[in-house]
Amino acid sequence: MNEQAVSTAIDIDEAKKIIENSDKELVSAMLVSSGIRTCMTGYEYLKMAVQLYKACGGVMEEIKKVIGEIYSTNQAAIEKNMRKALKDAATRDVTDHFNVRIGCNVLQSGRKTIKAKEYVAMLAEYLEMPEVHSLFCLPKKEE
């Protein structure tokens, strides 16, 4: 294991805590608005990858390792399902809707499918924007 991977390694309990404390509504809204269908296994893997991105230092191999341990599957299957979900989203041609919300052309129709690492990194970075919640989620009703 390289030095960076050692410093970013997290255990399953820590990963579950990060996932539990993350803004699931926002991550889900971002995935769906970029064309990822919720019925695909890759949707769950991508959602979890976005949630774990910062904690794993952006090391995709570490992220896939943690997801694999949580779902009891191998990294190749995780990667395949992520790619399949992204490829499916690219064929649905809903990127304009996502780009309008973000305010720039981060996803482009007609382009080769974005790599899972690029996609996860992009969403993780946009999660840090202060106004992003209002762009993707409905306002919460006051009781």
Side-chain angles (χ1 to χ4, degrees), residues 90 105-115 118 122:
N105 283 336
V106 291
L107 297 177
Q108 298 171 5
S109 54
R111 167 188 167 201
K112 252 175 56 173
T113 306
I114 190 169
K115 293 180 180 172
E118 293 172 348
M122 177 192 63

Side-chain angles (χ1 to χ4, degrees), residues 16 24 32 45 78 97:
K16 287 180 179 178
K24 291 178 230 25
V32 169
Y45 296 159
I78 294 165
H97 179 67

Side-chain angles (χ1 to χ4, degrees), residues 13-65:
D13 292 331
E14 185 180 353
K16 287 180 179 178
K17 190 181 297 183
I18 291 166
I19 292 164
E20 185 62 35
N21 293 329
S22 70
D23 191 342
K24 291 178 230 25
E25 177 189 16
L26 176 57
V27 175
S28 294
M30 291 176 82
L31 289 167
V32 169
S33 70
S34 64
I36 307 295
R37 293 189 301 159
T38 59
C39 62
M40 300 187 84
T41 306
Y43 169 84
E44 286 300 323
Y45 296 159
L46 286 165
K47 182 167 82 170
M48 195 171 282
V50 170
Q51 294 166 322
L52 294 172
Y53 184 81
K54 295 284 185 189
C56 292
V59 179
M60 201 63 178
E61 292 305 313
E62 181 66 26
I63 294 167
K64 289 187 289 189
K65 179 179 149 195

Side-chain angles (χ1 to χ4, degrees), residues 65-110:
K65 179 179 149 195
V66 172
I67 294 170
E69 289 181 33
I70 291 171
Y71 282 98
S72 300
T73 190
N74 62 55
Q75 293 182 32
I78 294 165
E79 179 66 31
K80 177 184 170 190
N81 282 294
M82 286 179 172
R83 276 196 320 268
K84 186 176 178 183
L86 290 167
K87 185 175 181 181
D88 178 71
T91 62
R92 296 181 61 225
D93 200 30
V94 294
T95 57
D96 291 341
H97 179 67
F98 182 81
N99 289 336
V100 166
R101 287 187 173 188
I102 291 295
C104 60
N105 283 336
V106 291
L107 297 177
Q108 298 171 5
S109 54

